[in-house]
């Protein structure tokens, strides 16, 4: 048996030869198992019981990944099968996220404070606070409570007053707590059971909420819609947290009929004749929910190949500097970029349908694309001028830098998304021709922007531009992306689907290295399906 002495910890545990690629080795990636990287020796590598249990878990993960590749990704045809799949966390993803997930807390934090309690109220309070203090900030890193008079009060109010959202949040919290390597097998099992139990409760209360809405078709209250949509949003976050290959699209379709209730509510706020003032917490919750759904809707189009479900809402909600919806407050990226991502997705869908009907006009395609490109470049120039102004303010006053830091970071993040949108657009127009000068110019700009980020953990919230840019990067740029991946941090790898995005990039690079070029006419949807259909890069 060949044992790797300098390879990743997964290959050392398996006693296999490691190719030592950064940040994840190809030996692990091709087997679709978690690569534990090359950092300090994990606590579970103790040559004892913990190492034995880790080896058993890894063996099960390899077996399931092998069966998954052999059988293919079969879609459940019956609604009952889909519902059952959504109730129980997928063991495959559980194993994939078995990394050192500690959410910036001390290594023994979970064992000291978060060991499952036999007291249900105490346990639920623990899960709730863990979600508020750790999970939500990790999933929405750019949200800054200090920028809002409401702080996170709206979130506490939402979770304690709406049962679907409350139990979905506790399920997420328990799910992540089960990953702590400081837990023994009994504690881990208890947390996973709690994750399933609260998920079942969330779906139960969500069903009751939707039944209430159905009975009030003519007089639906915004509070009822918020209750249902908050539960759906957190269930989608759960699927996203497991890697984004789950049943999120099923939940998203359910939300599509309810979101107009929230958008109508915001429009009534602009009219002083619409009765008494609405509670501030309710208004903030509505705004946050709309941002969450618009974000998933826009960024998932590159994977699904469809138009945004809420495409008619983007112009109304995101236009103008005084819009009541500000995407950057939660996701760091300004409204205009999301508008143009949506326009690009609509163009992609239009092109595909025209091709299928044999009616594609290249003149019309390039004309539509040129209009989007012109708007992108104009807004990028304005944003660069804003960033330059903020840098000059910071040079004059340290206090000014502190005051403007949030705007400065938002400007940087916005440019990353904008450059990636240009890459998205060029591939839609020209196909998978990654050597185009206009593609590589924007790859270089994104790389420069990534390197200038003050905190590389932000890359976990930039999965969409990171994956798009990495997939079309030249061979000589691969190591840059791998090195950036090593700086992300284990807490980021444990939340969302950054790891999945990296695996897609590796697959693209591998195909290029083997001279197995993607078939002529391949689209973004084909590339994003390398790990399975319907991946959401959000």
């Amino acid at each position: 048996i060949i044992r790797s002495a300098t390879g990743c910890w997964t290959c050392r545990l398996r006693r296999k030869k490691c190719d030592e690629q950064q940040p994840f080795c190809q030996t692990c990636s091709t087997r679709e198992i978690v690569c534990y990287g090359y950092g300090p020796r994990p606590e579970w590598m103790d040559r004892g019981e913990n190492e034995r249990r880790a080896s058993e878990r890894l063996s099960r993960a390899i077996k399931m990944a092998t069966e998954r590749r052999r059988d293919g990704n079969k879609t459940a045809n019956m609604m009952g099968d889909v519902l059952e799949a959504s109730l129980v966390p997928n063991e495959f993803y559980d194993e994939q996220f078995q990394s050192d997930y500690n959410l910036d807390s001390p290594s023994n934090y979970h064992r000291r404070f978060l060991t499952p309690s036999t007291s249900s109220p105490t346990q639920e309070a623990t899960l709730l606070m863990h979600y508020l203090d750790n999970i939500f900030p990790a999933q929405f890193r750019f949200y800054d409570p200090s920028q809002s008079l409401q702080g996170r009060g709206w979130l506490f109010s939402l979770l304690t007053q709406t049962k679907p959202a409350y139990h979905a949040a506790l399920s997420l919290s328990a799910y992540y707590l089960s990953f702590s390597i400081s837990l023994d097998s009994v504690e881990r099992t208890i947390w996973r059971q709690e994750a399933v139990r609260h998920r079942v409760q969330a779906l139960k209360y969500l069903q009751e909420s939707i039944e209430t809405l159905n009975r009030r078709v003519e007089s639906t209250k915004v509070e009822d819609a918020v209750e249902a949509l908050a539960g759906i949003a957190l269930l989608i976050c759960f699927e996203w947290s497991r890697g984004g290959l789950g049943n999120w699209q099923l939940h998203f379709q359910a939300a599509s009929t309810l979101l107009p209730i929230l958008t109508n509510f915001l429009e009534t706020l602009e009219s002083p004749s619409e009765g008494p003032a609405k509670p501030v917490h309710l208004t903030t919750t509505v705004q946050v929910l709309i941002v969450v759904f618009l974000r998933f809707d826009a960024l998932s189009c590159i994977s699904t190949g469809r138009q945004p479900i809420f495409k008619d809402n983007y112009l109304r909600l995101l236009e103008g500097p005084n819009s009541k919806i500000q995407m950057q407050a939660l996701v760091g990226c300004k409204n205009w970029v999301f508008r143009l991502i949506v326009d690009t997705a609509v163009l992609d869908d239009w092109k595909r349908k025209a091709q299928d009907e044999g009616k594609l006009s290249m003149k019309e395609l390039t004309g539509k694309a040129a209009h989007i490109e012109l708007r992108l470049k104009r807004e990028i120039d304005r944003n660069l001028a804003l960033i330059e102004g903020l840098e000059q303010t910071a040079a004059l006053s340290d206090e000014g830098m502190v005051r403007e830091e949030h705007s400065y970071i938002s400007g940087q993040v916005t440019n990353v998304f904008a450059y990636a949108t240009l890459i998205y657009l060029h591939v839609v127009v020209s196909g998978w021709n990654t050597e185009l000068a206009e593609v590589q110019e924007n790859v270089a700009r994104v790389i420069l922007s990534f390197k200038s980020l003050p905190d590389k953990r932000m890359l976990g919230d930039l999965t969409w531009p990171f994956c798009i840019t990495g997939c079309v990067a030249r061979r000589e740029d691969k190591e840059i992306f791998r090195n950036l991946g090593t700086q992300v941090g284990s807490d980021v790898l444990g939340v969302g689907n950054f790891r999945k995005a990296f695996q897609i990039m590796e697959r693209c690079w591998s195909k290029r290295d083997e001279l197995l070029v993607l078939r002529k006419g391949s689209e973004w949807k084909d590339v994003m399906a390398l790990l399975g259909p319907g991946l959401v890069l959000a």
Side-chain angles (χ1 to χ4, degrees):
I1 297 175
I2 301 174
R3 179 165 185 166
S4 178
T6 59
C8 75
W9 289 107
T10 304
C11 288
R12 295 196 206 186
L13 180 64
R14 296 179 61 225
R15 294 179 171 80
K16 298 295 183 181
K17 184 175 178 60
C18 179
D19 56 31
E20 301 186 30
Q21 289 194 28
Q22 299 280 348
F24 313 119
C25 79
Q26 278 293 97
T27 306
C28 294
S29 296
T30 55
R31 286 166 177 76
E32 298 181 354
I33 57 175
V34 65
C35 177
Y36 286 106
Y38 309 88
R41 186 183 188 90
E43 293 179 12
W44 44 263
M45 286 289 282
D46 59 0
R47 298 185 177 87
E49 183 64 19
N50 288 331
E51 184 171 334
R52 184 189 64 78
R53 288 202 300 265
S55 180
E56 290 175 352
R57 288 196 301 270
L58 195 56
S59 296
R60 290 197 302 271
I62 293 171
K63 180 180 178 181
M64 283 183 282
T66 302
E67 292 174 351
R68 179 182 174 90
R69 289 193 300 270
R70 184 186 63 217
D71 297 338
N73 295 301
K74 298 178 179 178
T75 304
N77 294 319
M78 302 299 292
M79 181 62 71
D81 294 337
V82 175
L83 180 59
E84 182 180 355
S86 69
L87 289 175
V88 183
N90 190 316
E91 184 68 16
F92 176 76
Y93 288 110
D94 287 349
E95 295 294 346
Q96 289 297 300
F97 289 100
Q98 202 69 39
S99 56
D100 301 348
Y101 179 76
N102 288 312
L103 287 171
D104 293 329
S105 54
S107 60
N108 63 346
Y109 175 82
H110 299 297
R111 178 170 292 282
R112 286 191 293 146
F113 298 112
L114 299 175
T115 300
S117 167
T118 55
S119 171
S120 182
T122 301
Q123 183 168 304
E124 290 191 5
T126 297
L127 290 173
L128 177 61
M129 295 312 299
H130 186 62
Y131 179 83
L132 291 169
D133 293 340
N134 295 299
I135 305 300
F136 181 83
Q139 289 186 318
F140 300 101
R141 194 176 302 276
F142 295 110
Y143 178 71
D144 183 1
S146 67
Q147 298 292 315
S148 169
L149 293 176
Q150 299 305 309
R152 284 184 294 163
W154 64 270
L155 181 58
F156 182 81
S157 177
L158 172 69
L159 296 181
T160 54
Q161 295 180 27
T162 57
K163 290 182 178 179
Y166 175 76
H167 286 285
L170 298 195
S171 178
L172 266 170
S173 192
Y175 179 68
Y176 281 117
L177 285 176
S178 71
F179 297 149
S180 173
I181 60 172
S182 65
L183 299 180
D184 60 32
S185 59
V186 174
E187 293 168 333
R188 193 182 310 280
T189 299
I190 292 174
W191 280 127
R192 292 188 177 183
Q193 288 173 344
E194 283 299 291
V196 173
R197 185 174 72 83
H198 285 294
R199 189 161 171 73
V200 171
Q201 289 289 93
L203 286 163
K204 170 192 168 186
Y205 286 119
L206 178 59
Q207 183 179 7
E208 292 178 2
S209 178
I210 291 175
E211 289 174 354
T212 299
L213 286 167
N214 289 336
R215 290 194 299 268
R216 299 177 179 173
V217 174
E218 300 299 328
S219 59
T220 300
K221 294 181 178 180
V222 67
E223 291 86 352
D224 295 330
V226 164
E227 180 172 313
L229 285 168
I232 292 172
L234 281 161
L235 289 171
I236 292 174
C237 286
F238 186 89
E239 300 295 349
W240 168 65
S241 298
R242 296 197 300 165
L245 283 171
N247 301 307
W248 67 270
Q249 293 185 75
L250 180 66
H251 299 310
F252 210 88
Q253 288 291 339
S256 63
T257 59
L258 296 175
L259 195 71
I261 298 173
L262 302 194
T263 60
N264 292 337
F265 169 80
L266 281 188
E267 290 172 354
T268 64
L269 295 179
E270 299 175 359
S271 174
S273 62
E274 290 293 332
K278 306 297 189 297
V280 178
H281 278 173
L282 177 61
T283 302
T284 303
T285 302
V286 167
Q287 291 171 323
V288 169
L289 286 174
I290 290 175
V291 169
V292 169
F293 282 109
L294 293 188
R295 172 200 187 192
F296 277 111
D297 191 29
L299 301 187
S300 64
C301 290
I302 198 168
S303 303
T304 62
R306 57 154 177 78
Q307 291 191 33
I309 293 175
F310 307 125
K311 67 173 184 176
D312 295 333
N313 291 298
Y314 285 90
L315 178 61
R316 228 163 14 102
L317 294 172
L318 304 184
E319 193 69 21
N322 298 319
S323 168
K324 290 189 178 297
I325 296 299
Q326 297 296 327
M327 301 293 289
Q328 67 265 29
L330 197 65
V331 298
C333 181
K334 295 180 182 178
N335 288 8
W336 59 265
V337 180
F338 278 91
R339 278 284 322 281
L340 294 169
I341 289 172
V342 167
D343 288 348
T344 304
V346 171
L347 179 64
D348 191 19
D349 183 70
W350 173 86
K351 173 190 173 184
R352 189 178 302 106
K353 289 177 179 176
Q355 282 178 320
D356 292 343
E357 297 171 1
K359 299 179 180 179
L360 178 62
S361 164
M362 291 305 298
K363 180 179 180 180
E364 188 174 2
L365 173 65
T366 54
K368 290 175 180 288
H371 181 60
I372 297 173
E373 182 178 13
L374 178 64
R375 289 158 63 200
L376 272 166
K377 289 182 175 179
R378 184 171 61 233
E379 293 294 345
I380 288 172
D381 288 341
R382 290 175 180 170
N383 198 52
L384 286 172
L386 174 64
I387 292 174
E388 184 178 351
L390 291 172
E391 289 174 338
Q392 291 174 353
T393 300
L396 296 173
S397 167
D398 291 338
E399 182 181 346
M401 186 66 242
V402 173
R403 186 174 62 251
E404 303 293 351
E405 183 178 13
H406 194 267
S407 297
Y408 180 75
I409 292 174
S410 176
Q412 288 184 305
V413 170
T414 296
N415 269 0
V416 169
F417 272 93
Y419 293 138
T421 304
L422 280 169
I423 295 171
Y424 179 18
L425 177 65
H426 290 312
V427 173
V428 167
V429 174
S430 303
W432 202 250
N433 187 1
T434 59
E435 292 300 321
L436 288 174
E438 55 265 35
V439 170
Q440 292 306 320
E441 285 171 4
N442 287 295
V443 169
R445 293 185 180 112
V446 174
I447 289 174
L448 188 63
S449 298
F450 283 154
K451 289 181 176 180
S452 67
L453 290 175
D455 183 353
K456 295 301 185 291
R457 291 179 302 171
M458 291 180 182
L459 288 170
D461 297 88
L462 303 176
T463 301
W464 191 84
F466 188 83
C467 186
I468 287 175
T469 309
C471 283
V472 300
R474 286 175 173 157
R475 182 176 283 102
E476 55 266 31
D477 291 331
K478 290 192 297 185
E479 288 307 313
I480 295 176
F481 284 88
R482 286 172 176 155
N483 289 335
L484 285 168
T486 62
Q487 301 175 54
V488 170
S490 60
D491 63 317
V492 174
L493 293 176
V495 179
N497 50 19
F498 186 85
R499 186 184 295 275
K500 291 291 180 187
F502 213 99
Q503 289 173 352
I504 288 175
M505 291 158 55
E506 291 283 359
R507 292 282 180 90
C508 283
W509 299 338
S510 175
K511 284 180 177 292
R512 221 175 298 171
D513 290 343
E514 297 168 11
L515 300 179
L516 296 175
V517 295
L518 295 171
R519 73 185 189 333
K520 186 178 180 181
S522 281
E523 301 166 334
W524 281 112
K525 180 182 177 182
D526 303 312
V527 175
M528 296 300 157
L530 289 173
L531 293 183
L535 175 71
V536 57
L537 292 176

